[in-house]
Amino acid sequence: MDKTAALGQHIRDLMDNAGHSENSLAETTGVPRVTLRRRLDAPENLSVGEIARIAAALHVEPSALTEYYYGEAAA
């Protein structure tokens, strides 16, 4: 699995662990569901604001999302 696919899958795994569907995460973050789905399918297009809102909704630090793309959590 390439790092982009790994990031999308990691976010989906965090969603599952937090009990969020795409619909509930979209509602919580204010990111339209169609946009959220596109971002999960191509997470390299996530904006910093979207990462922050998704992380907050999943009760994790933003670095917990980006470490799967960049290799390590940001310091």
Side-chain angles (χ1 to χ4, degrees):
M1 180 180 301
D2 69 15
K3 66 182 180 177
T4 301
L7 175 57
Q9 185 57 53
H10 177 60
I11 294 171
R12 284 184 170 97
D13 291 344
L14 290 171
M15 288 168 54
D16 288 343
N17 291 340
H20 274 291
S21 65
E22 283 183 11
N23 287 338
S24 68
L25 187 63
E27 186 176 311
T28 302
T29 61
V31 176
R33 188 191 58 77
V34 172
T35 300
L36 179 62
R37 175 170 278 214
R38 274 190 253 137
R39 297 298 193 261
L40 293 176
D41 290 341
E44 69 273 13
N45 295 323
L46 281 164
S47 71
V48 172
E50 289 166 339
I51 290 170
R53 289 185 288 183
I54 290 169
L58 298 176
H59 306 289
V60 299
E61 292 295 321
S63 61
L65 303 180
T66 60
E67 68 189 23
Y68 277 82
Y69 192 77
Y70 295 106
E72 288 185 19

